[in-house]
């Protein structure tokens, strides 16, 4: 049962992250945009959006535009930061960018906040040191 709950939370985080990314690229985000981005069916996205609304992570306008609530945005930005930092780190280590992004997506959900913050501090220090040495 714990595995199912974990997968459900991971899915929620992925949807929120996708909405955040789309909101930075598009003037307005609709369910069809999320479906196209994730290559999921419209019915699957519809169920997911209802779940996100129930949890108060998003609101939807009468026109069908999706907006992140403060809580939804906070969670989305947190997961996006993890994804970006872990991807950059893996690429820095020599991993192909596509593989790095895929692996970062897996890692971003499973690491505890304490371990992530320790890794973040180390990675940022490493990346900063490498940039200053290359000048």
């Amino acid at each position: 049962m714990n595995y199912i709950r974990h997968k459900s939370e991971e899915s929620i985080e992925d949807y929120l992250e996708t909405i955040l990314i789309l909101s930075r690229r598009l003037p307005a985000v609709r369910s069809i945009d999320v479906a196209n981005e994730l290559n999921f069916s419209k019915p699957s996205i519809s169920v997911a959006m209802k779940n996100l609304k129930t949890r108060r992570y998003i609101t939807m306008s009468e026109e069908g535009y999706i907006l992140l609530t403060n809580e939804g945005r906070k969670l989305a930005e947190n997961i996006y930061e993890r994804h970006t930092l872990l991807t950059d780190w893996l690429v820095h280590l020599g991993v192909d960018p596509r593989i790095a992004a895929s692996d970062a997506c897996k890692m971003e959900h499973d690491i505890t906040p304490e371990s992530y913050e320790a890794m973040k501090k180390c990675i940022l220090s490493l990346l900063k040191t490498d940039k200053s040495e290359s000048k």
Side-chain angles (χ1 to χ4, degrees), residues 54-67:
T54 300
R55 289 172 160 237
R56 297 192 172 135
Y57 289 136
I58 66 166
T59 60
M60 292 185 83
S61 71
E62 288 185 22
E63 297 84 12
Y65 299 126
I66 302 167
L67 299 169

Side-chain angles (χ1 to χ4, degrees), residues 83-104 107 123 126-127 130:
H83 182 91
T84 303
L85 181 77
L86 293 169
T87 299
D88 290 348
W89 177 54
L90 292 170
V91 168
H92 176 78
L93 294 175
V95 177
D96 176 89
R98 288 212 303 312
I99 293 170
S102 176
D103 287 347
M107 295 164 64
I123 291 167
L126 173 73
L127 294 176
D130 285 353

Side-chain angles (χ1 to χ4, degrees), residues 2 10 33 40 45 50 55 84 88 91 102 106 115 122 133:
N2 196 18
E10 185 177 317
D33 301 319
F40 290 169
I45 297 299
K50 286 179 187 172
R55 289 172 160 237
T84 303
D88 290 348
V91 168
S102 176
K106 296 169 194 163
S115 293
C122 180
E133 288 177 359

Side-chain angles (χ1 to χ4, degrees), residues 12 18 25 35 58-59 74 77 92 98 101 103 112 122 132:
I12 287 168
T18 299
R25 272 197 335 233
I58 66 166
T59 60
K74 183 178 174 182
E77 287 175 347
H92 176 78
R98 288 212 303 312
D103 287 347
T112 64
C122 180
S132 66

Side-chain angles (χ1 to χ4, degrees), residues 9-133:
E9 293 302 313
E10 185 177 317
S11 178
I12 287 168
E13 291 172 351
D14 285 340
Y15 283 118
L16 292 172
E17 182 182 20
T18 299
I19 293 166
L20 176 69
I21 291 166
L22 288 171
S23 72
R24 293 177 177 179
R25 272 197 335 233
L26 303 172
V29 179
R30 299 165 299 139
S31 293
I32 190 67
D33 301 319
V34 178
N36 291 337
E37 185 75 13
L38 295 174
N39 201 27
F40 290 169
S41 71
K42 292 180 203 174
S44 294
I45 297 299
S46 179
V47 169
M49 293 307 109
K50 286 179 187 172
N51 185 20
L52 293 176
K53 276 175 45 179
T54 300
R55 289 172 160 237
R56 297 192 172 135
Y57 289 136
I58 66 166
T59 60
M60 292 185 83
S61 71
E62 288 185 22
E63 297 84 12
Y65 299 126
I66 302 167
L67 299 169
L68 293 166
T69 62
N70 288 339
E71 187 177 352
R73 179 168 297 283
K74 183 178 174 182
L75 184 55
E77 287 175 347
N78 180 282
I79 216 62
Y80 183 69
E81 175 193 284
R82 286 177 175 222
H83 182 91
T84 303
L85 181 77
L86 293 169
T87 299
D88 290 348
W89 177 54
L90 292 170
V91 168
H92 176 78
L93 294 175
V95 177
D96 176 89
R98 288 212 303 312
I99 293 170
S102 176
D103 287 347
C105 192
K106 296 169 194 163
M107 295 164 64
E108 71 196 22
H109 302 290
D110 290 329
I111 192 167
T112 64
E114 180 181 5
S115 293
Y116 173 72
E117 287 302 320
M119 285 178 66
K120 177 180 172 181
K121 183 177 177 183
C122 180
I123 291 167
L124 291 175
S125 174
L126 173 73
L127 294 176
K128 182 178 179 184
T129 299
D130 285 353
K131 281 183 181 179
S132 66
E133 288 177 359

